[in-house]
Structures are given as C-alpha cells and as structure tokens.
Amino acid sequence: MKFAGKRRLGALIAAAAAASIALAGCADTGGTTGSSDPASGSGDLSVTFVPKNLGNPYFDASSTGGKAAVEEFGGTFNEVGPAEATPDGQVSYINTLTQQQVGSIVISANDPTAICSALNEAKSAGVKVVTFDSDTDPECRDIFVNQADAEGIAKTQIDLIADQIGGEGEIAILSASANATNQNAWIELMEAYLESDYPDIELVEVVYGDDDDQTSFDKTSSLLQTYPNLKGIVSPTTVGIAAAARYVDTSEYAGQVAITGLGTPNQMREYVESGTVEAFALWNPEDLGYLSAFAAQALIDGTITGAEGDTFEAGRLGEYTVGPDGTVLLGDPYVFDKDNIGDFDF
C-alpha cells in the first residue's frame, strides 16, 4: 500500500458521549467578562465547543479531548450546538455565548460564511474564536485548527480506494453537507488527484448525506441502484462512511463494493472485522479537540494572536506553530485496518 504519514497518535482515550446541554445557563463564566479590547487576552478560561451537531460520534470524541485539555489548564468547559448540522442552528448559540461573554468559542462551521456575522460580533465583544475541523472565512475567526493537510487527506482516501478496486472502475463520493468547507476542499483535491494519477478511475457522482445516518444510508442505496458497475464509495465523513458500510454489509453488495473514507475505529470495527471495509483513515478527533482547546487558551491569555509564526504549548501534544492564514496543523491522516484497529478505542 502507498500510504504515507502514519503519525504518532496521542494517548488513547475512550470517547465518552458528550451530553446534549441545554443552552440556558450552559456557559459558566465564573463572573468574568471578556476584555473590552478584542486584541488582548481576556484571562477568562471558559471555553465552549460548538460542534456541527450534537450526538455525532466524531464530535463526541473531539469534545472529550477538548474537555480534557480545559481541565488540564484549569478552565471551564461546555458544549452546546444544534441537533442538525445547519448554519442557522449554530448562529443562535454563538449569539448567546457572545452575550454571556465566554472566553472562547471553539466551533466547527456548518457554512464558511453564514455564521461569520455572528462570529465577528463575538470577536468584537472580546470572545476568542477558534474554528476546528471545518473553517470559516479567515476574517471571521482568530485561529483555525486543521485536522490534517487537505492534500494529504485527499490523497490518502484516493490511494485507499484505488488500492481496494485495483486502480480502475467507477467510484462515487458520499459527502456531508453541500456547504461543508472541509469536505468541499477535499473533494476538489480528490478530483484533481484522480485525474493526474488514476485516469482509469471514474468519479461518477458526488452525493450529500448531510451528516445524517438515515440520509447517508439512503444515498448509498440510491448510488448502488443508479450505478450497477460501481466499484467503490469514498465517504470523507464519519457519519457517511458508517452508514455506507452498514448498508453494504447487509446487502448483496457485500464483498463487491469497496467502502473507505474517514471514520472512527469504534464505528468501523465491525465492518473491518466482517471484511466489508478493508481500510479507512482519520486523525485522532480527541487530539483535534485537545489541540483546539489549548489554542483557545493561548489566545485568551495572550500567548498568541493568530499571527503566522506564533508558537504555543499544547499539553501532551507539545509545541505548535501558527502557519499562514492563522492555521494550526494537527498532523497527517492515519490508516486503520484489521491489523491495527484493535489497538484503538475512540
């Protein structure tokens, strides 16, 4: 196999399901308000995570890591967010957190621009804004914690599917929402990589499951009925890959259609063990949340401003440097297969 960049994962932590927290009274700021000068550190170590949607195993894991980091540096952790992955659902939470003057909002954006106005109001009120997993326009936040280099993510997934289908045939992509910035960036790079390195593989369609299990399951069914010669599905979303694997695992397509993409070991273990999924990739979402929380702390206490070249310590993960456009890179994707999946629990 051609995969490069199996990075060191952090200590393995069992992912605990993050409770759905009612918005009212959710952010305990301890009586401390944000700084009147948005450029300065406020000193208020209340950090609230706003995932794309609650009840998503991927974001449950990232919040587990975020909470662990906040506890390490003595802050207050909370998590709030919509039940469905929509930008409108996130805006109301951002507005309330701004009114509460939390120290930092750590958010995975459902849309690159739709939540910008609310985030800019938060920044003006002295709230430090960290995006992770899915970015906004750079002017809407202070730091973006990128889970892995976009080119590395795209290349890994295409190399995986190419290896599994013998380098030729029809494939489809099952994405999250049509407006997800990270998904769209990866897909664009996947298309370019297919064209340059795998001319015998045809991408027949990109469909969107909206990070909803049943919708993703139904989209998988539709793809397989529409394209009888389909040899593989790439799903760069943890909800999508699990739904696609479940459908194939219990259908006549088991063993006939390859499924890969980005997933968590606990979601995908049964499908790897059954042989439905040969290999898939991801970074450690707990590490992503952990790093994002430390970035928030560094912004709050004034260690960094988000300028290129700024450095900060991120607990057990060590030192990180802010890159261009206020981006901090977690690391490279990691490939999971039957030989190593038993070593992980998240």
Side-chain angles (χ1 to χ4, degrees):
M1 297 176 101
K2 302 189 274 188
F3 318 123
K6 286 196 175 185
R7 71 178 188 81
R8 176 187 59 81
L9 295 181
L12 305 177
I13 307 171
S20 297
I21 304 172
L23 182 60
C26 65
D28 176 12
T29 63
T32 305
T33 60
S35 167
S36 59
D37 177 6
S40 67
S42 69
D44 177 4
L45 293 177
S46 58
V47 178
T48 299
F49 273 52
V50 184
K52 288 181 179 177
N53 59 315
L54 295 178
N56 183 324
Y58 173 85
F59 289 113
D60 289 346
S62 62
S63 291
T64 296
K67 182 178 181 181
V70 172
E71 289 176 348
E72 283 185 29
F73 59 70
T76 302
F77 173 86
N78 283 295
E79 180 192 41
V80 298
E84 298 181 359
T86 64
D88 288 346
Q90 289 183 315
V91 167
S92 62
Y93 290 93
I94 296 167
N95 290 340
T96 299
L97 293 170
T98 300
Q99 293 169 2
Q100 295 173 335
Q101 293 188 297
V102 297
S104 177
I105 294 171
V106 180
I107 186 167
S108 178
N110 280 322
D111 186 278
T113 58
I115 64 174
C116 271
S117 177
L119 289 178
N120 281 328
E121 289 185 13
K123 289 174 62 182
S124 295
V127 178
K128 302 304 179 182
V129 176
V130 176
T131 55
F132 75 105
D133 176 72
S134 183
D135 198 13
T136 61
D137 292 339
E139 64 269 19
C140 309
R141 44 73 173 168
D142 297 297
I143 286 287
F144 170 48
V145 179
N146 195 354
Q147 54 269 47
D149 176 76
E151 291 185 1
I153 295 171
K155 183 179 184 299
T156 296
Q157 292 179 88
I158 293 302
D159 283 345
L160 280 166
I161 197 67
D163 183 79
Q164 293 170 28
I165 68 173
E168 61 180 6
E170 297 180 352
I171 66 169
I173 293 176
L174 170 62
S175 186
S177 67
N179 294 326
T181 53
N182 55 347
Q183 304 279 315
N184 290 337
W186 300 336
I187 291 168
E188 182 177 348
L189 289 166
M190 285 186 214
E191 292 172 336
Y193 188 49
L194 282 169
E195 184 176 351
S196 64
D197 284 53
Y198 294 103
D200 295 327
I201 297 178
E202 180 186 1
L203 176 60
V204 295
E205 190 174 357
V206 178
V207 298
Y208 302 94
D210 295 326
D211 261 352
D212 177 79
D213 177 74
Q214 188 60 50
T215 302
S216 299
F217 185 89
D218 294 341
K219 292 289 187 178
T220 302
S221 174
S222 178
L223 281 172
L224 292 169
Q225 293 173 29
T226 303
Y227 302 100
N229 296 320
L230 198 68
K231 294 183 68 175
I233 296 174
V234 179
S235 186
T237 164
T238 58
V239 175
I241 189 176
R246 188 174 81 254
Y247 181 87
V248 170
D249 193 59
T250 57
S251 73
E252 67 270 26
Y253 300 102
Q256 306 300 315
V257 176
I259 302 295
T260 193
L262 304 178
T264 67
N266 287 352
Q267 282 181 299
M268 302 305 296
R269 184 172 287 105
E270 64 178 293
Y271 306 118
V272 171
E273 291 174 349
S274 72
T276 295
V277 175
E278 180 180 329
F280 64 97
L282 196 65
W283 45 92
N284 188 330
E286 292 185 13
D287 283 355
L288 180 63
Y290 184 90
L291 176 57
S292 299
F294 270 102
Q297 180 207 22
L299 287 166
I300 292 168
D301 66 20
T303 300
I304 62 174
T305 64
E308 184 174 357
D310 282 354
T311 61
F312 65 99
E313 290 292 330
R316 58 177 168 76
L317 296 180
E319 183 180 272
Y320 280 80
T321 301
V322 179
D325 297 322
T327 297
V328 177
L329 180 64
L330 174 63
D332 292 325
Y334 187 93
V335 174
F336 300 89
D337 57 26
K338 65 180 179 180
D339 293 330
N340 64 22
I341 196 169
D343 297 333
F344 300 94
D345 184 19
F346 67 86

